[in-house]
Amino acid sequence: AQSVTQPDIHITVSEGASLELRCNYSYGATPYLFWYVQSPGQGLQLLLKYFSGDTLVQGIKGFEAEFKRSQSSFNLRKPSVHWSDAAEYFCAVGARTGTASKLTFGTGTRLQVTL
Amino acid sequence: SQTIHQWPATLVQPVGSPLSLECTVEGTSNPNLYWYRQAAGRGLQLLFYSVGIGQISSEVPQNLSASRPQDRQFILSSKKLLLSDSGFYLCAWQGARWGTEAFFGQGTRLTVV
């Protein structure tokens, strides 16, 4: 069965600093991978996804992620964090089951941004 | 464009009472539909998914059930709520094509008292 590990429960960065959120996955086939962001009390918004092709994926709000098959990782990065980026971030791996696709999520990383 | 509606936004229910949460999708046909639960400090747990009308797959044995009476309607129910049913419930839809992302509703905060 597939799984996702986000080793950092909580990260604090200063506004303007760079950010990297870690994600490791386990999946027996070629994965498709996602990063979502969740503001308090809200649903999840897709930041970016990797399905195939270029291993460096660009997303919304200035985020990018790099797929590294050898490390089973899909880390999320942003060169300069803004205070509005404070939220919870979830990495997910997609798996096919019959005619459906199921996403397995990590436990999330809560990002705090200090001014 | 596609939109997903989920209601109510918040709900406080006594133990032993019934539950019905509704989710509807607009702007797409034959979506795959999902119910997730998010407990405090934890990730999202997939509860049910559906690939078509009347087709429900359960991921976790529990006190809840799901139904899909129409193509773009997905309902989460319980006959008798337990304290452990408290949480944040999210409905999502995905296209049937492999590799598509999931789109989420705004969620329902359920508190069982």
Side-chain angles (χ1 to χ4, degrees), chain A residues 36 38 42 49 96 101-102, chain B residues 34 59 98 101-102 106:
Chain A
Y36 284 86
Q38 184 182 34
Q42 300 295 311
K49 69 174 183 179
R96 190 181 307 200
S101 301
K102 295 195 299 183
Chain B
Y34 303 80
E59 287 292 293
W98 171 243
E101 60 267 34
Q106 292 301 295

Side-chain angles (χ1 to χ4, degrees), chain B residues 1 3 5 7 14 21 24 28 30-32 61 71 77 85 99 105 108 112:
Chain B
S1 63
T3 56
H5 303 280
W7 68 93
L21 301 181
T24 59
T28 186
N30 196 31
N32 291 340
D71 181 46
S77 304
D85 293 323
T108 296
V112 182

Side-chain angles (χ1 to χ4, degrees), chain B residues 3-112:
Chain B
T3 56
I4 180 168
H5 303 280
Q6 190 179 340
W7 68 93
T10 60
L11 192 59
V12 180
Q13 292 284 96
V15 170
S17 64
L19 173 73
S20 181
L21 301 181
E22 189 163 342
C23 171
T24 59
V25 180
E26 296 178 357
T28 186
S29 297
N30 196 31
N32 291 340
L33 297 172
Y34 303 80
W35 278 111
Y36 289 87
R37 178 169 58 200
Q38 185 177 23
R42 302 179 64 179
L44 281 75
Q45 180 186 36
L46 178 62
L47 302 176
F48 301 95
Y49 67 92
S50 171
V51 300
I53 296 173
Q55 301 178 62
I56 307 296
S57 296
S58 175
E59 287 292 293
V60 181
Q62 59 207 315
N63 186 42
L64 302 169
S65 62
S67 61
R68 185 170 177 175
Q70 300 180 43
D71 181 46
R72 289 170 286 179
Q73 184 185 30
F74 204 25
I75 297 171
L76 184 68
S77 304
S78 174
K79 292 182 179 178
K80 291 185 177 182
L81 284 169
L82 305 172
L83 288 174
S84 58
D85 293 323
S86 293
F88 192 53
Y89 290 82
L90 289 157
C91 179
W93 77 270
Q94 266 182 287
R97 184 171 56 88
W98 171 243
T100 57
E101 60 267 34
F103 297 91
F104 286 82
Q106 292 301 295
T108 296
R109 171 72 60 192
L110 172 66
T111 304
V112 182

Side-chain angles (χ1 to χ4, degrees), chain A residues 1-104:
Chain A
Q2 65 276 10
S3 65
V4 176
T5 301
Q6 292 181 250
D8 303 306
I9 297 173
H10 187 203
I11 284 182
T12 300
V13 299
S14 301
E15 188 174 40
S18 63
L19 171 71
E20 182 169 27
L21 302 182
R22 295 182 292 167
C23 172
N24 292 96
Y25 69 90
S26 173
Y27 184 56
T30 302
Y32 69 96
L33 297 158
F34 304 89
W35 275 99
Y36 284 86
V37 61
Q38 184 182 34
S39 298
Q42 300 295 311
L44 275 70
Q45 181 184 21
L46 179 71
L47 287 175
L48 48 78
K49 69 174 183 179
Y50 170 79
F51 182 46
S52 64
D54 193 348
T55 56
L56 184 62
V57 181
Q58 301 298 320
I60 63 170
K61 304 184 180 184
F63 285 93
E64 65 177 28
E66 186 171 11
F67 170 61
K68 293 185 177 180
R69 185 186 299 274
S70 62
Q71 298 178 20
S72 297
S73 69
F74 189 54
N75 293 348
L76 182 71
R77 301 194 294 249
K78 187 169 184 177
S80 178
V81 170
H82 188 262
W83 64 267
S84 60
D85 293 324
E88 189 147 24
Y89 291 80
F90 292 93
C91 181
V93 62
R96 190 181 307 200
T97 173
T99 56
S101 301
K102 295 195 299 183
L103 297 186
T104 299

